[in-house]
């Protein structure tokens, strides 16, 4: 039986089709989900893709958090369904309180688009199992509101519980994609919930799944093979 992974489309989503393609390349069946529908069509996992949902009015992800589909996503995520939030999807997950902290405007106040070097900190989540802890990967990054912030207590909790999933690699040359691109506290690029089924990150793994397009790398494909193996072996 083929694993079914839903991809939500909000008004202003840009990367829903790219995400569907990445899921298909990994061997799963992508299922299009519309933001106005509460029905998740019996999918096994959900991806909230990148983009500028509702034009990022109010705050990035703040309006999408109240879309009808999110009522079901929140309920299912709390029951253990794997959920991945990419860029704008990460912003939605923090607004929905499925992940702690918040996303603010980049500290340099500019949109940034580049190939970004990350270090995998947690390879034990539903979406990162095909990586190794400490592995360094290149994933495209494109955002305006990508600065992850939280209070010191929350940051310490994430560190102590191993819930920092990805960190920006700050050593090395900027030309190699190194450095903190947006001022995120403690160089955090992605985090997970305590159960490991909900993961959010700012870079775009769906743009690094084929050697002939995008960044020319396939460092993002393990996100989608990881969840496929998790669902098949469940």
């Amino acid at each position: 039986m083929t694993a079914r992974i839903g991809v939500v489309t909000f008004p202003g989503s840009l990367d829903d089709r790219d995400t569907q393609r990445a899921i298909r390349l990994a061997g799963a069946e992508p299922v299009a989900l519309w933001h106005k529908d509460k029905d998740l069509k019996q999918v096994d996992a959900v991806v909230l893709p990148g983009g500028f949902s509702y034009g990022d009015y109010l705050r990035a992800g703040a309006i999408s958090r109240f879309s009808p589909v999110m009522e079901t996503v929140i309920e299912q995520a709390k029951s253990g369904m794997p959920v991945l939030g990419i860029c704008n999807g990460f912003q939605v997950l923090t607004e929905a309180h499925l992940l702690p902290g918040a996303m603010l405007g980049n500290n340099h106040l500019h949109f940034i688009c580049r190939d970004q070097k990350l270090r995998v900190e947690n390879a034990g989540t539903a979406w990162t199992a095909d990586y190794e802890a400490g592995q360094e990967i290149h994933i495209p990054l494109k955002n305006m509101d990508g600065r992850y912030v939280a209070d010191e207590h929350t940051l310490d909790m994430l560190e102590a519980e191993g819930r920092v999933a990805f960190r920006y690699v700050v050593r090395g040359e900027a030309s190699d994609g190194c450095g903190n691109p947006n001022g995120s506290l403690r160089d955090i690029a992605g985090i997970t919930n305590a159960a490991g089924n909900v993961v959010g990150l700012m870079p775009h793994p769906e743009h690094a799944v084929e050697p002939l397009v995008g960044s020319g790398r396939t460092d993002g494909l393990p996100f989608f093979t990881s969840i496929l193996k998790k669902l098949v072996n469940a």
Side-chain angles (χ1 to χ4, degrees):
M1 183 176 178
T2 304
R4 291 162 48 85
I5 302 178
V7 180
V8 178
T9 297
F10 299 100
S13 292
L14 299 179
D15 302 298
D16 44 347
R17 296 296 182 91
D18 302 77
T19 303
Q20 290 176 29
R21 179 171 178 79
I23 291 168
R24 191 176 294 110
L25 285 171
E29 177 187 352
V31 179
L33 301 175
W34 185 237
H35 71 109
K36 286 188 175 182
D37 299 330
K38 292 184 179 182
D39 182 12
L40 297 186
K41 301 181 181 179
Q42 297 182 315
V43 297
D44 304 298
V46 170
V47 180
L48 306 180
F52 298 91
S53 60
Y54 291 94
D56 280 350
Y57 288 114
L58 186 60
R59 286 186 312 276
I63 300 177
S64 295
R65 176 260 180 273
F66 293 101
S67 292
V69 72
M70 286 304 299
E71 181 178 331
T72 312
V73 169
I74 292 170
E75 176 185 316
Q76 292 299 310
K78 290 179 178 180
S79 297
M81 174 180 279
V83 177
L84 174 65
I86 302 171
C87 195
N88 188 230
F90 186 10
Q91 295 160 344
V92 174
L93 290 177
T94 60
E95 291 289 340
H97 304 297
L98 287 174
L99 292 175
M103 311 302 302
L104 299 181
N106 297 341
N107 61 342
H108 44 71
L109 302 180
H110 294 287
F111 179 83
I112 187 169
C113 181
R114 75 183 197 188
D115 201 18
Q116 178 69 45
K117 196 170 188 178
L118 306 177
R119 182 172 61 253
V120 180
E121 300 284 4
N122 185 338
T125 79
W127 299 93
T128 61
D130 270 359
Y131 292 109
E132 295 182 3
Q135 181 179 351
E136 294 186 355
I137 60 177
H138 284 83
I139 302 290
L141 174 83
K142 50 177 186 176
N143 64 68
M144 181 68 191
D145 299 291
R147 177 162 54 110
Y148 180 76
V149 299
D151 59 71
E152 286 298 309
H153 173 76
T154 299
L155 292 170
D156 289 342
M157 177 268 294
L158 291 172
E159 301 276 14
E161 296 181 3
R163 291 172 54 187
V164 176
F166 297 91
R167 218 181 293 266
Y168 298 115
V169 174
V170 296
R171 57 169 173 73
E173 301 295 328
S175 59
D176 192 35
C178 294
N180 187 322
N182 45 39
S184 290
L185 297 181
R186 304 195 189 183
D187 304 319
I188 292 174
I191 60 175
T192 178
N193 66 344
N197 64 302
V198 179
V199 171
L201 80 161
M202 286 311 296
H204 288 258
E206 76 280 9
H207 293 326
V209 294
E210 295 181 278
L212 296 179
V213 297
S215 67
R217 302 174 185 269
T218 59
D219 290 3
L221 191 58
F223 274 88
F224 306 100
T225 57
S226 292
I227 190 59
L228 180 59
K229 291 179 180 178
K230 167 73 174 178
L231 296 173
V232 169
N233 295 327

